Amino acid sequence: MASSSSSSSSTTSTITSKFIGLMLLLSLQLDLLLGSAIHLKNQTSFRPNREIQKLRRVEAYLSKINKPSIKTIHSPDGDVIECVPSHLQPAFDHPQLQGQKPLDSPYRPSKGNETTYEESFNQLWSMSGESCPIGSIPIRKTTKNDVLRANSVRRFGRKLRRPIRRDSSGGGHEHAVVFVNGEQYYGAKASINVWAPRVTDAYEFSLSQIWLISGSFGHDLNTIEAGWQVSPELYGDNYPRFFTYWTTDAYQATGCYNLLCSGFVQTNNKIAIGAAISPRSSYNGRQFDIGLMIWKDPKHGHWWLELGNGLLVGYWPAFLFSHLRSHASMVQFGGEVVNSRSSGAHTGTQMGSGHFADEGFEKAAYFRNLQVVDWDNNLLPLKNLHVLADHPACYDIRQGKNNVWGTYFYYGGPGRNPRCP
């Protein structure tokens, strides 16, 4: 009997131990589940708060940059163009411009020997015959989606921080350019062939432009830039668009594209900076180019922008700059793309027409009638020209000179190809 009682007691103790262990395990699992639920609840409540804060920043920026207008024009490409009174444009939010009005026309440089045959400059928004009244300027309305495509509100409308010149190791930006340096430059002029290159990644761009550059290639770099670009991130489509840019600190905290910050003062009621250009060139077909000139007004010292034959767009006030307050030390012309290698290979984003320079007229993109402005406000041909293609197997350049086009070059390429993997 004693043996039977001892065996029964041992069995009961084992069952009790197992039961307690099971209860502890269930309790632990319950604690873990409750903890996960609380953590998930905190996460889901945090995410909407973060999104709400971001949307509030976006709305605050939009209310600041989108000014009251006296007329609204709807472009066939989906853009909304607002006719904003000139004195209310974003430039006049700058402390040194508040209460002022745009300046009168400057002294233009004396023309050198050149042949021009630009057609009148057209943009899609104005092709219906609509225009902004005298005393106002057309501004492409910035939308919430425009800003949300950027990495942040602070970086919207700005280029990524990078130096102008890069060697073949790249850093993501690739160029095919000609440039002059070693003297003092007070402006530049060229006619730029307009195409609609394919951009294969939403965060890449393809552009063709003039750069006026001064300062070291460190944090004090000053640039003034103008040309055309295809940028899905900035504009939400693949149209070539007329653009401007400036910076005084190597693309860090100052400057922006177009009129997306206080800086460039627009004086023209017919051109919308950032709006699509039409028509564009076609392969083996009709060619279209735009004339651009940037120069320093000898009277007030501001940097003016002219489009085509005598169409003044506006100016960058001299006080925006440090080194460029006096002159440029380098002038650069050509194309630039972003190569993000998002697929693990070289991008297929095109530069220019998407064809190499040796294909020539009606096939490759070109710049023609390249000139610089000297200290006495004269347009002069380029001397001691340098030619640079970061990756000639992807995008190349070929320079020439004749009596009709003066100094010119063909440039561009398809990006990824058997020689550019």
Side-chain angles (χ1 to χ4, degrees):
M1 290 292 292
S3 175
S4 173
S5 173
S6 172
S7 175
S8 175
S9 173
S10 174
T11 300
T12 303
S13 174
T14 301
I15 291 171
T16 302
S17 297
K18 286 182 177 180
F19 178 74
I20 291 170
L22 179 63
M23 292 302 292
L24 286 170
L25 181 62
L26 287 172
S27 176
L28 180 62
Q29 287 178 332
L30 184 60
D31 285 345
L32 287 170
L33 286 170
L34 286 171
S36 296
I38 292 168
H39 178 65
L40 184 62
K41 183 180 178 183
N42 287 340
Q43 275 193 324
T44 53
S45 63
F46 175 70
R47 282 175 186 163
N49 286 339
R50 187 166 59 187
E51 290 301 313
I52 289 169
Q53 289 172 4
K54 183 178 180 179
L55 288 173
R56 283 176 179 165
R57 288 195 296 272
V58 170
E59 294 294 342
Y61 173 79
L62 291 174
S63 65
K64 179 183 178 182
I65 204 69
N66 288 326
K67 302 300 185 181
S69 69
I70 57 176
K71 182 179 179 180
T72 299
I73 300 170
H74 293 272
S75 174
D77 61 353
D79 281 355
V80 175
I81 304 297
E82 301 287 5
C83 300
V84 174
S86 296
H87 66 282
L88 295 181
Q89 63 180 290
F92 293 108
D93 289 339
H94 195 287
Q96 288 185 252
L97 288 174
Q98 285 178 356
Q100 297 185 32
K101 292 183 179 180
L103 294 174
D104 294 331
S105 300
Y107 295 108
R108 286 180 172 82
S110 301
K111 295 184 182 297
N113 295 322
E114 61 176 301
T115 301
T116 61
Y117 56 84
E118 293 111 343
E119 301 176 39
S120 58
F121 180 82
N122 290 311
Q123 293 183 298
L124 284 175
W125 71 273
S126 60
M127 294 184 73
S128 65
E130 291 275 13
S131 62
C132 285
I134 299 293
S136 68
I137 63 166
I139 299 181
R140 178 183 181 270
K141 186 173 184 178
T142 303
T143 68
K144 182 166 69 175
N145 286 337
D146 288 338
V147 184
L148 290 175
R149 283 192 301 270
N151 291 330
S152 67
V153 176
R154 189 175 63 85
R155 294 305 305 169
F156 173 68
R158 290 178 174 169
K159 289 188 177 184
L160 295 176
R161 302 175 192 180
R162 57 171 184 77
I164 293 286
R165 296 183 298 184
R166 290 189 179 276
D167 59 22
S168 59
S169 62
H173 290 252
E174 298 184 18
H175 306 83
V177 297
V178 302
F179 65 91
V180 289
N181 58 2
E183 297 185 25
Q184 295 182 358
Y185 306 100
Y186 295 82
K189 184 177 184 180
S191 292
I192 309 175
N193 197 199
V194 179
W195 292 79
R198 183 180 69 248
V199 175
T200 59
D201 186 285
Y203 294 99
E204 295 178 346
F205 63 65
S206 179
L207 61 76
S208 298
Q209 68 171 52
I210 299 172
W211 289 261
L212 287 162
I213 304 164
S214 194
S216 69
F217 286 88
H219 295 305
D220 64 340
L221 186 73
N222 288 203
T223 75
I224 288 173
E225 308 170 30
W228 63 260
Q229 68 177 164
V230 175
S231 176
E233 180 186 4
L234 189 58
Y235 306 107
D237 58 34
N238 288 284
Y239 292 116
R241 293 170 176 272
F242 173 54
F243 82 96
T244 62
Y245 200 90
W246 67 277
T247 181
T248 63
D249 59 359
Y251 307 95
Q252 294 183 87
T254 64
C256 63
Y257 279 112
N258 309 332
L259 303 182
L260 295 174
C261 65
S262 300
F264 186 83
V265 179
Q266 184 165 336
T267 60
N268 189 287
N269 70 323
K270 295 180 175 63
I271 302 298
I273 304 174
I277 301 171
S278 181
R280 304 116 193 190
S281 302
S282 58
Y283 189 80
N284 263 340
R286 179 168 169 261
Q287 300 301 294
F288 179 75
D289 58 33
I290 57 173
L292 284 179
M293 180 167 67
I294 304 168
W295 80 101
K296 190 174 178 61
D297 173 27
K299 184 177 180 181
H300 295 104
H302 305 313
W303 291 91
W304 281 82
L305 173 62
E306 182 178 279
L307 187 59
N309 288 316
L311 197 61
L312 283 174
V313 182
Y315 59 93
W316 292 269
F319 65 74
L320 293 174
F321 304 100
S322 52
H323 300 288
L324 277 174
R325 193 170 296 194
S326 55
H327 61 269
S329 56
M330 174 185 279
V331 178
Q332 188 167 287
F333 308 81
E336 177 186 351
V337 300
V338 172
N339 174 27
S340 63
R341 300 186 68 89
S342 58
S343 64
H346 193 285
T347 182
T349 288
Q350 299 173 335
M351 180 188 291
S353 69
H355 293 263
F356 286 114
D358 61 4
E359 293 194 41
F361 188 63
E362 292 187 338
K363 299 176 179 65
Y366 63 81
F367 278 59
R368 62 179 178 85
N369 296 112
L370 275 60
Q371 296 174 291
V372 291
V373 180
D374 71 1
W375 65 272
D376 201 25
N377 211 30
N378 296 308
L379 278 163
L380 301 174
L382 276 60
K383 295 186 299 184
N384 302 319
L385 192 66
H386 304 275
V387 179
L388 171 69
D390 290 335
H391 294 274
C394 310
Y395 315 102
D396 68 357
I397 186 166
R398 191 185 73 195
Q399 183 253 326
K401 188 173 184 178
N402 63 35
N403 291 332
V404 179
W405 278 16
T407 301
Y408 68 88
F409 62 88
Y410 290 101
Y411 71 104
R416 186 172 63 249
N417 68 76
R419 296 189 303 118
C420 175

